[in-house]
Amino acid sequence: MSEETKEEIKNEKVDEEVTEELTEEALEDIVEEEINELDEAQKLATEWENKFLRVSAEMQNVQRRGNEERLQLIKYRSQDLAKKILSSLDNLERALAVEGLTDDVKKGLEMVQESLISALKEEGVEEVSYESFDHNIHMAVQTVPADDEHPADSIVQVFQKGYQLHERLLRPAMVVVAQ
Amino acid sequence: MSEETKEEIKNEKVDEEVTEELTEEALEDIVEEEINELDEAQKLATEWENKFLRVSAEMQNVQRRGNEERLQLIKYRSQDLAKKILSSLDNLERALAVEGLTDDVKKGLEMVQESLISALKEEGVEEVSYESFDHNIHMAVQTVPADDEHPADSIVQVFQKGYQLHERLLRPAMVVVAQ
């Protein structure tokens, strides 16, 4: 038996003797003290548990919000560049409208135009619909009286094309609308 | 004094009597039991505290990683659309190289070209440097012997321009390099 173990046993015996010598009253005090300490410890455990539960719930929120934000960022990531390219597309259309273009030039311009439109489309950018006037996607720059061919609220002419990225409008179409 | 308070006092007295009747031995048992319970409660408190600390540290990590990811997403958001637009820019350059363009057409094409380049630049897209050959940003499609005018590793000609988004390469430049 090691010296340390012997020492432990001796100490235990001393403790026992002390306990035996305690009066009933002293024991009651100890019980009371223990109960108080237990109460404190249980309160503390509950506090830490609650803190844990709160921070766990908060983390789930942080993760959920982070995922939503990431999806939105990815979905609309091309928005700024796409918006800026729209004016290049306008310029291209104007260049194509010039009279007396040689076939080569016309073909070249159309190729550029198609590649731009297809690049935008792949990123989710498309022209708005012109089915009937909708102030959410159209800007009426002129109105004409409705007739048999052009019923009220129909789009008569498109001055400048409108585009949207998924359901988000990049710019409204400038249109002539029948009224 | 309310009925409830009276009831409480009565109960307390009963408790006291019961306690007084306890033997020393029974009290010792209670002390031991209390000590065990206290031990358990303290262990539990420590466990919840540790769980709380772990999940708190994890949340900080989740938030930090989320922020880093968001910044990366924003920084390189235009990458895909920009890459696709590069071929439109190539087509434009080819159209501009056609001989016999009228001034109007040339002006129109240059306007489209400039607006595309400026849109890309605003999003962080720029041509690679051609200072000296660098296999990270250049692809040597041909080599020519170095001479006084073109020292070794200098770029003699650019077949197709290279572009980078911030420090990330979108496509290498196709070059003729002196060797």
Side-chain angles (χ1 to χ4, degrees), chain A:
Chain A
M1 202 180 273
S2 73
E3 276 307 305
E4 271 183 46
T5 320
K6 274 185 206 160
E7 187 67 20
E8 272 171 32
I9 291 170
K10 205 177 132 200
N11 281 340
E12 266 170 37
K13 274 186 189 157
V14 172
D15 282 351
E16 248 169 68
E17 276 157 33
V18 172
T19 312
E20 272 165 24
E21 278 165 25
L22 285 173
T23 63
E24 200 177 310
E25 206 176 317
L27 266 172
E28 275 171 22
D29 283 352
I30 290 175
V31 170
E32 200 176 322
E33 205 179 298
E34 289 294 333
I35 287 174
N36 285 341
E37 269 187 66
L38 177 61
D39 206 40
E40 285 293 308
Q42 281 169 340
K43 259 192 214 160
L44 197 64
T46 308
E47 268 174 39
W48 282 120
E49 183 180 1
N50 286 336
K51 278 186 180 177
F52 166 77
L53 292 175
R54 266 201 304 277
V55 79
S56 295
E58 206 182 320
M59 183 158 85
Q60 286 194 330
N61 278 334
V62 165
Q63 282 177 319
R64 189 181 42 71
R65 276 200 308 270
N67 285 337
E68 284 170 2
E69 212 187 327
R70 187 161 41 248
L71 288 178
Q72 285 294 94
L73 273 174
I74 290 171
K75 190 172 180 185
Y76 297 112
R77 60 184 177 170
S78 301
Q79 181 172 312
D80 287 8
L81 181 52
K83 251 187 186 169
K84 287 166 193 156
I85 287 168
L86 297 183
S87 60
S88 307
L89 261 184
D90 295 338
N91 286 333
L92 256 179
E93 269 177 44
R94 275 193 280 272
L96 268 165
V98 170
E99 295 208 357
L101 294 179
T102 65
D103 279 355
D104 267 7
V105 170
K106 203 168 179 180
K107 223 171 150 185
L109 287 180
E110 278 168 353
M111 205 186 254
V112 177
Q113 189 184 33
E114 274 160 32
S115 66
L116 279 181
I117 290 172
S118 124
L120 288 170
K121 201 168 186 170
E122 278 176 47
E123 290 296 302
V125 178
E126 292 196 89
E127 261 192 83
V128 299
S129 153
Y130 304 110
E131 217 172 299
S132 71
F133 183 75
D134 176 354
H135 69 274
N136 291 309
I137 52 176
H138 303 134
M139 193 183 282
V141 288
Q142 201 182 314
T143 57
V144 293
D147 56 27
D148 285 352
E149 206 185 330
H150 303 104
D153 275 346
S154 66
I155 308 280
V156 180
Q157 198 187 334
V158 177
F159 277 157
Q160 193 183 52
K161 290 174 177 173
Y163 292 92
Q164 57 192 40
L165 174 58
H166 303 295
E167 76 292 347
R168 195 183 278 180
L169 190 72
L170 290 182
R171 78 174 191 199
M174 311 271 216
V175 298
V176 179
V177 60
Q179 258 187 345

Side-chain angles (χ1 to χ4, degrees), chain B residues 25-162:
Chain B
E25 207 178 319
L27 266 171
E28 276 172 20
D29 283 351
I30 290 176
V31 170
E32 201 175 321
E33 204 180 298
E34 290 294 332
I35 287 174
N36 286 340
E37 269 188 65
L38 176 60
D39 205 40
E40 284 294 308
Q42 281 169 340
K43 259 191 213 161
L44 198 63
T46 308
E47 267 173 38
W48 282 121
E49 183 180 1
N50 286 336
K51 278 186 179 178
F52 166 77
L53 293 175
R54 265 201 304 276
V55 78
S56 295
E58 205 182 322
M59 182 156 88
Q60 287 195 330
N61 278 333
V62 165
Q63 282 177 318
R64 189 181 43 72
R65 276 199 308 269
N67 285 337
E68 285 170 0
E69 211 186 329
R70 186 160 44 248
L71 288 178
Q72 287 293 96
L73 273 174
I74 290 171
K75 190 172 181 186
Y76 298 111
R77 60 183 177 172
S78 301
Q79 180 172 311
D80 287 7
L81 181 52
K83 250 186 188 170
K84 288 166 193 157
I85 286 168
L86 297 183
S87 61
S88 308
L89 261 184
D90 296 337
N91 286 333
L92 257 178
E93 269 177 43
R94 275 191 280 270
L96 268 165
V98 171
E99 295 209 357
L101 294 179
T102 66
D103 279 354
D104 267 7
V105 170
K106 202 169 181 180
K107 223 172 150 184
L109 287 181
E110 279 168 353
M111 205 187 254
V112 177
Q113 189 185 33
E114 274 160 31
S115 66
L116 280 182
I117 289 172
S118 124
L120 288 169
K121 201 169 185 169
E122 278 175 48
E123 290 296 301
V125 178
E126 293 197 89
E127 260 192 83
V128 299
S129 152
Y130 304 110
E131 218 173 299
S132 70
F133 183 74
D134 176 354
H135 69 274
N136 291 308
I137 52 175
H138 303 134
M139 193 183 280
V141 288
Q142 201 182 316
T143 58
V144 294
D147 56 26
D148 284 352
E149 207 186 329
H150 304 103
D153 275 345
S154 66
I155 308 279
V156 180
Q157 199 187 334
V158 178
F159 277 156
Q160 193 182 53
K161 290 174 177 173

